[in-house]
mmCIF file of all heavy atoms in Angstrom:
data_model
loop_
_atom_site.group_PDB
_atom_site.id
_atom_site.type_symbol
_atom_site.label_atom_id
_atom_site.label_comp_id
_atom_site.label_asym_id
_atom_site.label_seq_id
_atom_site.Cartn_x
_atom_site.Cartn_y
_atom_site.Cartn_z
ATOM 1 N N THR A 1 -0.042 3.831 16.853
ATOM 2 C CA THR A 1 1.074 3.669 17.783
ATOM 3 C C THR A 1 2.275 4.504 17.358
ATOM 4 O O THR A 1 2.934 5.148 18.183
ATOM 5 C CB THR A 1 1.487 2.182 17.859
ATOM 6 O OG1 THR A 1 0.350 1.404 18.274
ATOM 7 C CG2 THR A 1 2.626 1.986 18.835
ATOM 8 N N LYS A 2 2.555 4.509 16.055
ATOM 9 C CA LYS A 2 3.681 5.279 15.518
ATOM 10 C C LYS A 2 3.360 5.668 14.086
ATOM 11 O O LYS A 2 3.105 4.808 13.246
ATOM 12 C CB LYS A 2 4.974 4.456 15.564
ATOM 13 C CG LYS A 2 6.194 5.210 15.074
ATOM 14 C CD LYS A 2 7.431 4.327 15.120
ATOM 15 C CE LYS A 2 8.653 5.064 14.577
ATOM 16 N NZ LYS A 2 9.856 4.183 14.582
ATOM 17 N N LYS A 3 3.386 6.959 13.818
ATOM 18 C CA LYS A 3 3.078 7.457 12.478
ATOM 19 C C LYS A 3 4.021 6.854 11.443
ATOM 20 O O LYS A 3 5.222 6.721 11.681
ATOM 21 C CB LYS A 3 3.183 8.982 12.442
ATOM 22 C CG LYS A 3 2.810 9.605 11.110
ATOM 23 C CD LYS A 3 2.913 11.125 11.174
ATOM 24 C CE LYS A 3 2.611 11.755 9.823
ATOM 25 N NZ LYS A 3 2.711 13.243 9.877
ATOM 26 N N LEU A 4 3.475 6.495 10.289
ATOM 27 C CA LEU A 4 4.285 5.905 9.227
ATOM 28 C C LEU A 4 5.224 6.950 8.624
ATOM 29 O O LEU A 4 4.830 8.111 8.435
ATOM 30 C CB LEU A 4 3.391 5.342 8.120
ATOM 31 C CG LEU A 4 2.887 3.898 8.284
ATOM 32 C CD1 LEU A 4 2.041 3.730 9.521
ATOM 33 C CD2 LEU A 4 2.111 3.467 7.038
ATOM 34 N N ASN A 5 6.451 6.530 8.319
ATOM 35 C CA ASN A 5 7.349 7.413 7.586
ATOM 36 C C ASN A 5 7.022 7.351 6.098
ATOM 37 O O ASN A 5 6.141 6.606 5.673
ATOM 38 C CB ASN A 5 8.813 7.074 7.882
ATOM 39 C CG ASN A 5 9.204 5.669 7.421
ATOM 40 O OD1 ASN A 5 8.768 5.198 6.368
ATOM 41 N ND2 ASN A 5 10.035 4.991 8.210
ATOM 42 N N ARG A 6 7.730 8.126 5.283
ATOM 43 C CA ARG A 6 7.401 8.217 3.864
ATOM 44 C C ARG A 6 7.516 6.869 3.149
ATOM 45 O O ARG A 6 6.667 6.509 2.338
ATOM 46 C CB ARG A 6 8.327 9.229 3.174
ATOM 47 C CG ARG A 6 8.190 10.640 3.662
ATOM 48 C CD ARG A 6 6.838 11.215 3.382
ATOM 49 N NE ARG A 6 6.528 11.291 1.963
ATOM 50 C CZ ARG A 6 5.341 11.590 1.475
ATOM 51 N NH1 ARG A 6 4.329 11.814 2.282
ATOM 52 N NH2 ARG A 6 5.142 11.653 0.169
ATOM 53 N N LYS A 7 8.576 6.132 3.441
ATOM 54 C CA LYS A 7 8.749 4.843 2.778
ATOM 55 C C LYS A 7 7.664 3.868 3.197
ATOM 56 O O LYS A 7 7.126 3.118 2.375
ATOM 57 C CB LYS A 7 10.131 4.273 3.084
ATOM 58 C CG LYS A 7 11.264 4.957 2.322
ATOM 59 C CD LYS A 7 12.557 4.178 2.463
ATOM 60 C CE LYS A 7 13.654 4.792 1.591
ATOM 61 N NZ LYS A 7 14.918 4.020 1.686
ATOM 62 N N GLU A 8 7.315 3.868 4.476
ATOM 63 C CA GLU A 8 6.256 2.977 4.951
ATOM 64 C C GLU A 8 4.920 3.336 4.318
ATOM 65 O O GLU A 8 4.137 2.452 3.951
ATOM 66 C CB GLU A 8 6.160 3.054 6.471
ATOM 67 C CG GLU A 8 7.337 2.424 7.193
ATOM 68 C CD GLU A 8 7.315 2.670 8.686
ATOM 69 O OE1 GLU A 8 6.683 3.659 9.121
ATOM 70 O OE2 GLU A 8 7.946 1.886 9.421
ATOM 71 N N LEU A 9 4.659 4.636 4.194
ATOM 72 C CA LEU A 9 3.398 5.095 3.607
ATOM 73 C C LEU A 9 3.225 4.546 2.193
ATOM 74 O O LEU A 9 2.157 4.029 1.835
ATOM 75 C CB LEU A 9 3.375 6.623 3.594
ATOM 76 C CG LEU A 9 2.148 7.284 2.970
ATOM 77 C CD1 LEU A 9 0.909 6.990 3.801
ATOM 78 C CD2 LEU A 9 2.366 8.792 2.838
ATOM 79 N N LYS A 10 4.261 4.628 1.390
ATOM 80 C CA LYS A 10 4.164 4.164 0.010
ATOM 81 C C LYS A 10 4.252 2.634 -0.074
ATOM 82 O O LYS A 10 3.631 2.026 -0.952
ATOM 83 C CB LYS A 10 5.250 4.839 -0.826
ATOM 84 C CG LYS A 10 5.055 6.348 -0.863
ATOM 85 C CD LYS A 10 5.940 7.053 -1.859
ATOM 86 C CE LYS A 10 5.663 8.557 -1.837
ATOM 87 N NZ LYS A 10 6.407 9.288 -2.889
ATOM 88 N N TYR A 11 4.974 2.040 0.854
ATOM 89 C CA TYR A 11 5.085 0.589 0.921
ATOM 90 C C TYR A 11 3.716 -0.047 1.145
ATOM 91 O O TYR A 11 3.309 -0.964 0.420
ATOM 92 C CB TYR A 11 6.039 0.225 2.058
ATOM 93 C CG TYR A 11 6.352 -1.237 2.241
ATOM 94 C CD1 TYR A 11 7.357 -1.864 1.507
ATOM 95 C CD2 TYR A 11 5.682 -1.993 3.201
ATOM 96 C CE1 TYR A 11 7.672 -3.195 1.709
ATOM 97 C CE2 TYR A 11 5.988 -3.333 3.403
ATOM 98 C CZ TYR A 11 6.988 -3.923 2.659
ATOM 99 O OH TYR A 11 7.293 -5.253 2.862
ATOM 100 N N VAL A 12 2.974 0.436 2.141
ATOM 101 C CA VAL A 12 1.666 -0.155 2.429
ATOM 102 C C VAL A 12 0.636 0.243 1.374
ATOM 103 O O VAL A 12 -0.218 -0.568 0.996
ATOM 104 C CB VAL A 12 1.168 0.208 3.849
ATOM 105 C CG1 VAL A 12 2.174 -0.246 4.906
ATOM 106 C CG2 VAL A 12 0.886 1.687 3.993
ATOM 107 N N SER A 13 0.714 1.477 0.867
ATOM 108 C CA SER A 13 -0.246 1.924 -0.142
ATOM 109 C C SER A 13 -0.144 1.072 -1.402
ATOM 110 O O SER A 13 -1.170 0.697 -2.001
ATOM 111 C CB SER A 13 0.004 3.388 -0.495
ATOM 112 O OG SER A 13 -0.243 4.230 0.610
ATOM 113 N N LYS A 14 1.072 0.781 -1.802
ATOM 114 C CA LYS A 14 1.264 -0.034 -2.995
ATOM 115 C C LYS A 14 0.643 -1.407 -2.836
ATOM 116 O O LYS A 14 0.002 -1.935 -3.750
ATOM 117 C CB LYS A 14 2.751 -0.161 -3.301
ATOM 118 C CG LYS A 14 3.047 -0.867 -4.614
ATOM 119 C CD LYS A 14 4.541 -0.858 -4.918
ATOM 120 C CE LYS A 14 4.826 -1.501 -6.271
ATOM 121 N NZ LYS A 14 6.270 -1.505 -6.590
ATOM 122 N N ARG A 15 0.780 -1.996 -1.674
ATOM 123 C CA ARG A 15 0.261 -3.341 -1.445
ATOM 124 C C ARG A 15 -1.259 -3.370 -1.348
ATOM 125 O O ARG A 15 -1.897 -4.313 -1.817
ATOM 126 C CB ARG A 15 0.925 -3.927 -0.199
ATOM 127 C CG ARG A 15 2.320 -4.436 -0.512
ATOM 128 C CD ARG A 15 3.298 -4.348 0.650
ATOM 129 N NE ARG A 15 4.579 -4.911 0.223
ATOM 130 C CZ ARG A 15 5.449 -4.277 -0.574
ATOM 131 N NH1 ARG A 15 5.171 -3.054 -1.019
ATOM 132 N NH2 ARG A 15 6.589 -4.848 -0.927
ATOM 133 N N ILE A 16 -1.841 -2.351 -0.749
ATOM 134 C CA ILE A 16 -3.303 -2.273 -0.725
ATOM 135 C C ILE A 16 -3.843 -2.157 -2.148
ATOM 136 O O ILE A 16 -4.799 -2.841 -2.534
ATOM 137 C CB ILE A 16 -3.774 -1.076 0.126
ATOM 138 C CG1 ILE A 16 -3.334 -1.243 1.576
ATOM 139 C CG2 ILE A 16 -5.301 -0.944 0.049
ATOM 140 C CD1 ILE A 16 -3.535 0.008 2.428
ATOM 141 N N LEU A 17 -3.220 -1.304 -2.938
ATOM 142 C CA LEU A 17 -3.661 -1.124 -4.320
ATOM 143 C C LEU A 17 -3.440 -2.379 -5.160
ATOM 144 O O LEU A 17 -4.248 -2.689 -6.048
ATOM 145 C CB LEU A 17 -2.939 0.071 -4.948
ATOM 146 C CG LEU A 17 -3.403 1.445 -4.479
ATOM 147 C CD1 LEU A 17 -2.477 2.533 -5.017
ATOM 148 C CD2 LEU A 17 -4.850 1.721 -4.902
ATOM 149 N N GLU A 18 -2.356 -3.101 -4.896
ATOM 150 C CA GLU A 18 -2.122 -4.359 -5.616
ATOM 151 C C GLU A 18 -3.242 -5.348 -5.330
ATOM 152 O O GLU A 18 -3.736 -6.035 -6.240
ATOM 153 C CB GLU A 18 -0.771 -4.953 -5.222
ATOM 154 C CG GLU A 18 0.443 -4.191 -5.721
ATOM 155 C CD GLU A 18 0.784 -4.496 -7.167
ATOM 156 O OE1 GLU A 18 -0.004 -5.183 -7.846
ATOM 157 O OE2 GLU A 18 1.847 -4.018 -7.618
ATOM 158 N N ALA A 19 -3.659 -5.444 -4.069
ATOM 159 C CA ALA A 19 -4.760 -6.348 -3.712
ATOM 160 C C ALA A 19 -6.052 -5.915 -4.392
ATOM 161 O O ALA A 19 -6.784 -6.739 -4.959
ATOM 162 C CB ALA A 19 -4.937 -6.381 -2.195
ATOM 163 N N LEU A 20 -6.338 -4.615 -4.340
ATOM 164 C CA LEU A 20 -7.558 -4.107 -4.972
ATOM 165 C C LEU A 20 -7.524 -4.297 -6.479
ATOM 166 O O LEU A 20 -8.544 -4.652 -7.090
ATOM 167 C CB LEU A 20 -7.749 -2.628 -4.625
ATOM 168 C CG LEU A 20 -8.104 -2.317 -3.177
ATOM 169 C CD1 LEU A 20 -8.199 -0.815 -2.962
ATOM 170 C CD2 LEU A 20 -9.408 -2.998 -2.765
ATOM 171 N N SER A 21 -6.375 -4.080 -7.083
ATOM 172 C CA SER A 21 -6.260 -4.253 -8.530
ATOM 173 C C SER A 21 -6.598 -5.681 -8.946
ATOM 174 O O SER A 21 -7.266 -5.905 -9.967
ATOM 175 C CB SER A 21 -4.847 -3.882 -8.990
ATOM 176 O OG SER A 21 -4.717 -4.015 -10.381
ATOM 177 N N THR A 22 -6.171 -6.645 -8.151
ATOM 178 C CA THR A 22 -6.464 -8.051 -8.447
ATOM 179 C C THR A 22 -7.964 -8.329 -8.363
ATOM 180 O O THR A 22 -8.539 -8.965 -9.255
ATOM 181 C CB THR A 22 -5.701 -8.970 -7.477
ATOM 182 O OG1 THR A 22 -4.300 -8.737 -7.607
ATOM 183 C CG2 THR A 22 -5.989 -10.433 -7.772
ATOM 184 N N LEU A 23 -8.603 -7.834 -7.310
ATOM 185 C CA LEU A 23 -10.055 -8.015 -7.175
ATOM 186 C C LEU A 23 -10.797 -7.295 -8.302
ATOM 187 O O LEU A 23 -11.712 -7.849 -8.923
ATOM 188 C CB LEU A 23 -10.526 -7.481 -5.826
ATOM 189 C CG LEU A 23 -10.045 -8.210 -4.568
ATOM 190 C CD1 LEU A 23 -10.488 -7.447 -3.319
ATOM 191 C CD2 LEU A 23 -10.566 -9.638 -4.518
ATOM 192 N N HIS A 24 -10.404 -6.064 -8.555
ATOM 193 C CA HIS A 24 -11.114 -5.235 -9.528
ATOM 194 C C HIS A 24 -10.950 -5.739 -10.956
ATOM 195 O O HIS A 24 -11.822 -5.510 -11.801
ATOM 196 C CB HIS A 24 -10.629 -3.787 -9.433
ATOM 197 C CG HIS A 24 -10.966 -3.128 -8.133
ATOM 198 N ND1 HIS A 24 -10.582 -1.833 -7.821
ATOM 199 C CD2 HIS A 24 -11.679 -3.570 -7.058
ATOM 200 C CE1 HIS A 24 -11.032 -1.522 -6.619
ATOM 201 N NE2 HIS A 24 -11.699 -2.558 -6.134
ATOM 202 N N GLU A 25 -9.844 -6.423 -11.209
ATOM 203 C CA GLU A 25 -9.618 -6.969 -12.552
ATOM 204 C C GLU A 25 -10.754 -7.895 -12.967
ATOM 205 O O GLU A 25 -11.122 -7.969 -14.145
ATOM 206 C CB GLU A 25 -8.287 -7.720 -12.593
ATOM 207 C CG GLU A 25 -7.900 -8.239 -13.960
ATOM 208 C CD GLU A 25 -6.546 -8.929 -13.967
ATOM 209 O OE1 GLU A 25 -5.933 -9.066 -12.890
ATOM 210 O OE2 GLU A 25 -6.106 -9.352 -15.061
ATOM 211 N N ASP A 26 -11.318 -8.612 -11.986
ATOM 212 C CA ASP A 26 -12.452 -9.498 -12.263
ATOM 213 C C ASP A 26 -13.785 -8.857 -11.892
ATOM 214 O O ASP A 26 -14.820 -9.539 -11.836
ATOM 215 C CB ASP A 26 -12.296 -10.803 -11.478
ATOM 216 C CG ASP A 26 -11.259 -11.732 -12.098
ATOM 217 O OD1 ASP A 26 -10.537 -11.283 -13.007
ATOM 218 O OD2 ASP A 26 -11.166 -12.896 -11.657
#
């Protein structure tokens, strides 16, 4: 619908990686 700006890009990327890091830790 609307391309992410730079802050949004890093905002969502960080949260996806945080979720994956939690799963991957175990």
Side-chain angles (χ1 to χ4, degrees):
T1 302
K2 182 181 178 182
K3 183 179 177 180
L4 273 61
N5 63 38
R6 296 296 298 171
K7 285 191 175 182
E8 290 172 336
L9 178 66
K10 297 190 179 186
Y11 183 85
V12 302
S13 295
K14 186 175 183 180
R15 281 149 178 76
I16 297 169
L17 286 172
E18 290 279 8
L20 291 177
S21 181
T22 301
L23 294 174
H24 294 178
E25 184 178 4
D26 284 10

